[in-house]
Amino acid sequence: MTQEFVPLSDYSIPALTHLDEQGQAQMVDVSGKAQTIREAIAVGRVRMLPETLTAIAAGNNPKGDVLGTARLAGIMAAKQTANLIPLCHPLPIHKVDVQITPDPTLPGYHIQAIVKIKAETGVEMEALTAVAIAALTLYDMAKALEKSICIEDIHLLSKTGGKSGDYRKEE
């Protein structure tokens, strides 16, 4: 069973830049765009039992430094986004900052990634990838302590620069 192609012009939504006139996936040509400074901030949470949070904070984990490893994984992931997400442009990233902050009221950790660049396209996907991989690494490092750890609410908090302008998520 094949799905009938419906031209984008038949929809009342803005055209998707990653689809050509036939609806096929394409990498967007950004060669005509000016390089500008762009920054994206993404966030997420990792929820766990209070005992797991306490064990991680105390360094009682069989795999070693949970937070340091997760932070480094997030930084490395941001730099590899184009290898993970098919239509992302490979970018010369200037800054990646991943912060993992404990929250006993969650209980768990808040993860924030800030990615900055001077380029023709934005870094939202790099920031989101950094948070996702940091969260997955935190899970992997702590799964011996708890299998029910939950990764939640990964989203773009803000972005600056580019043709579409600045964005900040309404809380």
Side-chain angles (χ1 to χ4, degrees), residues 37-166:
I37 295 175
R38 298 158 187 262
E39 182 178 85
I41 302 173
V43 295
R45 293 188 305 242
V46 181
R47 187 182 301 271
M48 61 194 60
L49 295 172
E51 303 83 52
T52 306
L53 178 64
T54 301
I56 292 170
N60 295 333
N61 183 24
K63 285 193 170 186
D65 181 5
V66 174
L67 302 180
T69 304
R71 187 177 158 280
L72 183 57
I75 293 167
M76 292 172 65
K79 298 184 331 178
Q80 294 299 316
T81 301
N83 293 325
L84 300 169
I85 300 176
L87 300 176
C88 284
H89 293 86
L91 299 173
I93 294 174
H94 292 89
K95 173 188 175 182
V96 180
D97 180 40
V98 176
Q99 298 295 321
I100 303 174
T101 309
D103 181 352
T105 63
L106 190 56
Y109 290 91
H110 293 275
I111 301 173
Q112 176 180 279
I114 302 171
V115 182
K116 190 171 184 178
I117 190 169
K118 183 175 183 181
E120 300 86 358
T121 190
V123 289
E124 296 92 0
M125 295 310 301
E126 287 73 10
L128 289 162
T129 299
V131 171
I133 297 301
L136 287 167
T137 302
L138 198 156
Y139 180 92
D140 182 53
M141 294 291 292
K143 69 185 177 195
L145 300 170
E146 178 188 345
K147 302 276 190 274
S148 63
I149 294 170
C150 186
I151 297 168
E152 308 177 330
D153 199 25
I154 296 172
H155 64 276
L156 182 68
L157 183 62
S158 67
K159 72 132 199 126
T160 59
K163 185 173 84 173
S164 66
D166 295 351

